[in-house]
Amino acid sequence: VQLQASGGGLVQAGGSLRLSCAASGRTFSGDVVGWLRQYPGKEREFVALITWSPRRTYYADSIKGRFTISRDDAKNMVYLQMNSLKSEDTAVYYCAVHLGGSIYSPSNFGDWGQGTLVTVSS
C-alpha cells in the first residue's frame, strides 16, 4: 500500500499551497500520518505529523506557525496547508505512515509513495 501526495506546484515566496495525501486500498483510521520533505541529494526530513486519537499535531521548528497539518477522516485524506512559503521550502514533499519511534527519523515511516514537488520562487 502506498500513499499518494498531490497539490504541489510553483508558487511565489509568501504564497500558499495545500498538499493532499490519499491512501489507496486502505484507510487512515488509527494511523499516525506525517509529512516529510526531501531536498536534492539530502535525506528526507520531518515536517509535520498528526495522530489519530487524541488528535495531536507536531511540527518541525523550521515551519512552525506557517504550516498546518489536518485530516478529514470522512474523506480519508490528510492535508498540509502551507502559508508564507519561503524559497527554502522548495523540496519534494511526501506523506507516510508513522510506524513508531522517533518522528524525526525517516526510517520510522512507511507506505511511501510518490511525492509532490513544491517550488517556491523568490
Side-chain angles (χ1 to χ4, degrees):
V1 176
Q2 291 184 328
L3 306 185
Q4 182 62 52
S6 62
L10 175 63
V11 63
Q12 287 189 330
S16 299
L17 280 175
R18 188 177 81 155
L19 306 184
S20 299
C21 178
S24 60
R26 66 172 293 170
T27 72
F28 284 127
S29 177
D31 286 333
V32 177
V33 181
W35 286 95
L36 297 90
R37 65 187 179 187
Q38 187 170 26
Y39 301 110
K42 301 288 187 180
E43 190 181 46
R44 292 172 186 174
E45 65 176 36
F46 170 76
V47 174
L49 179 140
I50 187 164
T51 61
W52 172 252
S53 181
R55 198 60 52 94
R56 294 190 179 124
T57 57
Y58 301 86
Y59 298 96
D61 288 342
S62 59
I63 57 88
K64 200 172 291 184
R66 299 189 295 122
F67 292 9
T68 303
I69 189 171
S70 63
R71 63 196 300 166
D72 185 328
D73 299 330
K75 295 182 179 179
N76 199 36
M77 297 288 290
V78 175
Y79 303 101
L80 184 68
Q81 177 66 44
M82 306 187 297
N83 299 328
S84 303
L85 282 161
K86 305 175 181 180
S87 57
E88 52 262 43
D89 295 319
T90 295
V92 177
Y93 286 73
Y94 299 86
C95 57
V97 175
H98 182 241
L99 305 174
S102 172
I103 64 175
Y104 300 103
S105 176
S107 62
N108 291 331
F109 288 82
D111 290 345
W112 298 97
Q114 284 188 329
T116 186
L117 176 62
V118 172
T119 303
V120 183
S121 62
S122 56

